[in-house]
Amino acid sequence: MSVPLDIVTDLAHGGRWTSLRTEQKEWLWRREAPERENVSPGDTFLDAGGLEECVPTVRGTPDHGDAWSRPWTREGEMDFVHCDRFTLTRTMRGTTDGAEVDYVLTSDPGFRFVWAAHALLDLSDRARLHIRDGARTRLFPESAPLLDRAWPKGAPWVEDSWPAPCGLRLDRLGPDDGTAVGAVVDASRCCVHDHADRLSLALEADGQPLSIALWRNLGGFPAPRPYRSTGVEPMLGRVFDLAEAGPGDAARVPASGEVRWRLTLTTHCRCT
């Protein structure tokens, strides 16, 4: 059965989602990071968990984008943030089985960007990630020691099929093993299963590249004090770093000056 979903955000600190919960489960992982309260645009990312709005890039410059380090504003039902080259707005609505979030990015026609709903989820080692079998999956250089083949010299990524690209099983989390890898999957929907709980994340946008980015950190990041965190991140774009985006790898603002997209979250709980 489907169950209601409550969202709490912190507008003063980057518009971060601090809670995404049902009566049974809090889905967002969080960590103590008091220094986050004093960040400024251009600062190195400070990970407090939750869900971050990462735009116009995730990796690269500015680190995790330009929106997480700025205060947001609310007018009526709409939240927005003004950045140097764009404005991002979002409108959240509860539904009977989850929530819908509508986004609008306005900028000059031709502006290229990557956006990710950088959701760090609080998952057990038995959690499973369900994405359509065979989806093309990009792996990035940190995964090189874990693959069943040599990394091509100078390649920014390699591609293979979900759920085990290049022999690396990504749909199962398992216990901490000291690794941390990122991947981008050519899919617009992912369903997370954790014991009896389910969370589906789906993305819609006309004429823009859609994907699901993953950050599977099983105690491998950061040095010298690593922790466990799992990112399941609906994305406009197909790369973490905008600077690495080739043709079709980034969203692009059309002649209208705006890009619109919708993130849909659906919760399911298996009755026992």
Side-chain angles (χ1 to χ4, degrees):
M1 60 177 291
S2 300
V3 292
L5 182 65
D6 292 324
I7 301 173
V8 178
T9 62
D10 183 353
L11 296 182
H13 301 102
R16 183 169 65 100
W17 304 25
T18 58
S19 180
L20 179 67
R21 67 171 300 115
T22 67
E23 290 185 359
Q24 293 81 17
K25 180 177 177 63
E26 171 60 63
W27 282 100
L28 292 181
W29 171 87
R30 290 168 289 182
R31 64 187 290 268
E32 291 297 322
E35 64 273 28
R36 173 64 187 272
E37 296 186 5
N38 299 310
V39 299
S40 300
D43 284 356
T44 300
F45 183 63
L46 286 168
D47 185 8
L51 185 154
E52 304 281 4
E53 306 282 359
C54 292
V55 60
T57 191
V58 182
R59 298 180 182 178
T61 304
D63 186 14
H64 282 67
D66 202 24
W68 73 270
S69 57
R70 299 175 183 266
W72 288 49
T73 301
R74 177 164 294 164
E75 289 186 358
E77 297 181 348
M78 182 181 70
D79 302 335
F80 65 90
V81 61
H82 295 300
C83 298
D84 290 341
R85 296 193 60 193
F86 63 90
T87 296
L88 179 66
T89 68
R90 70 183 179 203
T91 304
M92 297 179 168
R93 294 182 303 279
T95 64
T96 57
D97 57 358
E100 293 178 344
V101 189
D102 285 330
Y103 291 88
V104 182
L105 183 142
T106 57
S107 186
D108 295 333
F111 177 70
R112 298 171 78 235
F113 67 95
V114 170
W115 165 86
H118 186 279
L120 294 177
L121 302 184
D122 187 8
L123 302 176
S124 75
D125 60 10
R126 295 180 57 189
R128 301 289 185 266
L129 309 179
H130 292 258
I131 299 175
R132 60 181 176 84
D133 284 351
R136 297 298 293 174
T137 303
R138 288 181 174 177
L139 299 171
F140 295 84
E142 68 271 8
S143 65
L146 307 174
L147 307 186
D148 60 8
R149 65 200 69 177
W151 190 270
K153 185 176 180 179
W157 61 74
V158 296
E159 288 193 3
D160 202 7
S161 299
W162 180 270
C166 303
L168 177 58
R169 194 72 186 255
L170 291 177
D171 61 331
R172 301 178 182 179
L173 299 184
D176 290 359
D177 62 8
T179 66
V181 298
V184 176
V185 188
D186 186 12
S188 60
R189 180 183 300 270
C190 177
C191 187
V192 182
H193 293 199
D194 195 8
H195 297 277
D197 297 298
R198 306 286 185 267
L199 177 66
S200 297
L201 305 99
L203 193 58
E204 304 169 71
D206 291 338
Q208 304 293 344
L210 306 177
S211 60
I212 301 293
L214 303 175
W215 172 243
R216 196 189 70 169
N217 176 21
L218 303 180
F221 179 87
R225 291 186 289 275
Y227 47 77
R228 180 188 179 98
S229 59
T230 304
V232 180
E233 309 170 23
M235 174 184 279
L236 295 186
R238 297 192 178 100
V239 291
F240 288 110
D241 189 343
L242 179 62
E244 297 180 344
D249 287 340
R252 183 183 292 271
V253 176
S256 65
E258 65 178 32
V259 177
R260 295 177 175 267
W261 66 96
R262 173 174 290 179
L263 174 63
T264 301
L265 305 114
T266 308
T267 57
H268 306 274
C269 181
R270 184 174 59 210
C271 296
T272 57

